Amino acid sequence: MASDSVTLGMPTLGADRDLLLAAPRGYCAGVDRAVITVEKALDLYGAPVYVRKQIVHNKHVVQTLEDRGAVFVEELDEVPAGSTVVFSAHGVSPAVHDDAQARGLKTIDATCPLVTKVHHEARRFAREDYRILLIGHAGHEEVEGTSGEAPEAITLVETVADVEALSFPAGTKLSWLSQTTLSVDETMDIVDALRDKFPQLEDPPSDDICYATQNRQLAVKEISEGSDLMIVVGSANSSNSVRLVEVALEAGAKASYRIDDVSEMREEWLEGVEKVGVTSGASVPEELVEGVLSYLNDRGFPTATAVHTAEESLIFALPPELRRDLRKAGQPV
Ligand code: SF4
């Protein structure tokens, strides 16, 4: 762990008070790529550019892109034939790709490459006749997309309690996969319960919970112990943000709240509070965190000290179909 001071907001003297800032926090490589994809598509093709589902689960990001001409839709039947549609970072099932083709839509797939990796694993396990236990949350877009790769082979498991109800004929080959944005500890509890019940269970070749989710959870653990309050900036439908609140509480934070932005901060949360930690989910622009830090500085908390638990340098190339069109137009990719 390393720490340094960051100059965000005007420091105010607060002798016994401490303000810690998790690092890493905020944008991951997959979110960055997805947002830039929509921005570049708007520049290249002009508005409107349609986006199926929220490009990333953050209402501020969605609003900003809407202001620039992106049109967010739930399903492809809302997109006029011949239009350009971007698929979100959470991924889509093959049926959605087929539907887009049948409707004559031009598609740009902004699925995070780490989600695409899980899709590949699902297809491979299904091809090799495995029954796949997908650990994740029902109804989440990523789970719908991954399940769609091999619907007849996949069973969703949400909790340890779900494991008890599972049964398979003797000799069934079993493997597990997971949503990329789960709590690492909770997922391992479910895997342990699965392995206890099904000793033949095979692991995926690598972790599905992505580096960004893991790093943000580790950083939150580091600053939550002994803290009176952990603020997590992120939207309610952001799985990784919601998990950060849970991880903070498990790691010892006395209280933790998720907020979309500083307008949701409450004065009463700060009553009797000395040590505050702040972090943000993987789809959160940094200016939203800066707003929270300024709010705390204005109320007597000192300049935030960043606590570094990992360095991140991963960058993903833009989707190939967009790079091709940018090159054709003589624009940088
Ligand atoms: S949270 Fe992980 S899987 Fe999701 S977009 Fe970011 S890097 Fe990709």
Side-chain angles (χ1 to χ4, degrees):
M1 172 181 91
S3 68
D4 56 42
S5 288
V6 290
T7 50
L8 294 169
M10 289 297 294
T12 310
L13 285 181
D16 299 322
R17 291 181 156 184
D18 209 1
L19 178 55
L20 300 179
L21 183 58
R25 65 184 172 280
Y27 268 24
C28 60
V31 164
D32 200 35
R33 172 184 188 258
V35 173
I36 293 173
T37 294
V38 179
E39 289 171 346
K40 288 212 181 245
L42 283 164
D43 290 344
L44 187 61
Y45 310 120
V49 164
Y50 291 83
V51 183
R52 182 183 178 276
K53 309 282 185 187
Q54 291 192 347
I55 184 73
V56 298
H57 285 158
N58 184 271
K59 73 175 197 183
H60 288 273
V61 172
V62 168
Q63 182 64 60
T64 304
L65 292 172
E66 263 174 355
D67 292 345
R68 291 192 52 184
V71 176
F72 291 87
V73 297
E74 279 304 300
E75 293 304 340
L76 294 182
D77 58 8
E78 299 166 58
V79 183
S83 303
T84 299
V85 62
V86 179
F87 293 145
S88 79
H90 309 100
V92 295
S93 69
V96 175
H97 282 285
D98 293 346
D99 189 21
Q101 198 175 11
R103 291 174 186 278
L105 303 176
K106 176 184 174 67
T107 60
I108 299 173
D109 189 356
T111 303
C112 176
L114 300 182
V115 175
T116 302
K117 184 194 75 147
V118 182
H119 284 218
H120 287 156
E121 288 166 0
R123 286 202 296 274
R124 181 179 65 82
F125 277 129
R127 251 196 331 267
E128 294 174 6
D129 288 330
Y130 281 83
R131 187 89 217 161
I132 302 161
L133 302 165
L134 176 62
I135 303 171
H137 298 295
H140 190 280
E141 285 145 41
E142 185 186 321
V143 165
E144 288 175 356
T146 304
S147 299
E149 291 288 354
E152 61 307 314
I154 288 180
T155 302
L156 183 64
V157 181
E158 292 191 87
T159 62
V160 169
D162 286 352
V163 176
E164 279 174 35
L166 294 173
S167 88
F168 298 100
T172 303
K173 294 202 291 183
L174 290 175
S175 64
W176 67 276
L177 296 174
S178 85
Q179 197 179 323
T180 56
T181 51
L182 301 179
S183 152
V184 175
D185 295 340
E186 220 176 286
T187 303
M188 284 306 122
D189 287 347
I190 295 173
V191 172
D192 287 346
L194 285 170
R195 202 179 304 289
D196 282 350
K197 184 156 181 181
F198 307 109
Q200 78 272 34
L201 184 74
E202 287 193 27
D203 293 328
S206 59
D207 280 353
D208 292 334
I209 299 180
C210 76
Y211 80 99
T213 301
Q214 297 196 31
N215 285 348
R216 279 149 194 70
Q217 288 177 16
L218 273 177
V220 157
K221 276 186 187 174
E222 187 72 40
I223 64 173
S224 289
E225 196 184 344
S227 74
D228 298 308
L229 174 66
M230 266 299 311
I231 297 296
V232 176
V233 186
S235 288
N237 61 344
S238 162
S239 170
N240 79 89
S241 301
V242 174
R243 299 292 82 75
L244 288 175
V245 172
E246 295 167 1
V247 170
L249 292 170
E250 279 160 20
K254 290 192 189 119
S256 182
Y257 301 102
R258 181 206 53 76
I259 56 172
D260 256 300
D261 57 43
V262 67
S263 69
E264 295 176 7
M265 283 293 293
R266 299 229 199 108
E267 298 287 347
E268 60 264 31
W269 293 345
L270 302 180
E271 280 167 21
V273 161
E274 290 186 347
K275 185 177 168 190
V276 178
V278 176
T279 190
S280 56
S283 48
V284 177
E286 186 63 6
E287 64 258 30
L288 300 179
V289 173
E290 290 170 11
V292 174
L293 296 178
S294 294
Y295 174 98
L296 292 165
N297 294 152
D298 290 346
R299 282 152 185 80
F301 285 86
T303 302
T305 300
V307 179
H308 296 271
T309 49
E311 296 300 326
E312 293 182 348
S313 55
L314 189 62
I315 296 172
F316 292 129
L318 292 173
E321 55 276 33
L322 179 60
R323 278 188 279 144
R324 182 199 57 214
D325 287 358
L326 287 167
R327 266 193 226 100
K328 270 194 212 157
Q331 294 188 24
V333 292

